Amino acid sequence: MKADPYDQEKLLELQAVDAAMDRAAHRARTLPERARAVELERQLEHQRERKVLAETRATDLGRAVARAENDVASVRARAERDRQLLASGTITVAKHLADMEHEVESLGRRQADLEEAELELMEELEQAEAEKVEAAAAVQATGEELQRTVDERDAQLAALRQEHSELSGERAGMASGIPTELLAVYDRLRSGGADVAVARISRDSCGACRLQLSHADVASINAAPPDEVVRCPECSAIIVRSAKPSAAPAGA
């Protein structure tokens, strides 16, 4: 394949732009804010579930405390009525008096038990309310951090998309000045997975694969006509020489 040496030189410039586009795309894929946003979304989902559970527990305990208060009030009121009845002197039968006194004592014990249970429920409710407040604060804090992270991610992605767009325009201009056949070879190498599709020889090594070439290979490359498109015998990358062919190494 033949191509003007200056057109071959243009491939190096095109590759530099392609490499810059690759770097921009890689940065867009690997932005730390991307991973952080995903992590924060998981945290927020977990914290929201915890908040709902804390609110449900607090509500249930609030109802339980209200029932306990009603039970205590009911027993207290009944015991008070019995004490007033005893104090009124209207009960004169000894057995009835004994039964009433026993009932008042039982109600007193029952009231004490209910008040103790009510106190325990109130302590649990206080703890549940604190957990509810803590869970709500965590949801708010994580939500705010997530929003900041998403905003930063989106801003960086927008900048990278702009950079990629500008580079793409620059590439189109460069590519239009390169012969179609030569450009097709370069593009096939790139699409085939070659990060470096075109390079020079440096110290007898291919600049694409970095492998040392034999003296015979280097001599053959340098001896090729200037307009001959030569390829690395190891990686098939296009080897760009200067516009003037280099002399073969001494002793080749």
Side-chain angles (χ1 to χ4, degrees), residues 48-157:
R48 282 172 174 163
E49 291 174 356
R50 179 189 169 203
K51 179 175 177 283
V52 170
L53 291 174
E55 289 172 344
T56 301
R57 183 166 182 266
T59 298
D60 290 345
L61 283 169
R63 291 170 180 164
V65 168
R67 287 195 297 270
E69 289 175 344
N70 290 335
D71 290 344
V72 169
S74 177
V75 170
R76 185 183 295 119
R78 183 176 174 184
E80 182 61 26
R81 286 195 302 271
D82 288 350
R83 282 192 290 270
Q84 289 178 0
L85 187 57
L86 282 172
S88 69
T90 57
I91 301 176
T92 57
V93 179
K95 183 177 182 308
H96 291 171
L97 283 171
D99 290 344
M100 184 64 69
E101 289 172 350
H102 178 70
E103 182 176 349
V104 169
E105 291 176 0
S106 295
L107 288 171
R109 290 192 295 272
R110 174 63 175 162
Q111 180 179 334
D113 291 341
L114 288 172
E115 288 175 342
E116 182 178 356
E118 178 188 5
L119 180 61
E120 291 176 356
L121 285 171
M122 291 176 68
E123 290 174 350
E124 289 184 35
L125 176 58
E126 183 179 358
Q127 180 181 358
E129 290 289 350
E131 291 175 355
K132 184 176 74 172
V133 171
E134 180 183 348
V139 167
Q140 181 176 352
T142 301
E144 290 173 353
E145 182 180 357
L146 174 59
Q147 187 59 57
R148 289 194 300 271
T149 302
V150 168
D151 290 344
E152 177 63 22
R153 179 201 65 191
D154 291 348
Q156 292 196 44
L157 285 175

Side-chain angles (χ1 to χ4, degrees), residues 149-170:
T149 302
V150 168
D151 290 344
E152 177 63 22
R153 179 201 65 191
D154 291 348
Q156 292 196 44
L157 285 175
L160 287 169
R161 282 194 294 268
Q162 179 64 27
E163 178 183 349
H164 194 278
S165 176
E166 292 173 357
L167 288 168
S168 180
E170 183 179 352

Side-chain angles (χ1 to χ4, degrees), residues 170-189:
E170 183 179 352
R171 185 194 196 280
M174 287 184 174
S176 66
I178 298 174
T180 303
E181 187 179 1
L182 178 62
L183 181 63
V185 173
Y186 168 80
D187 285 339
R188 279 198 301 272
L189 287 169

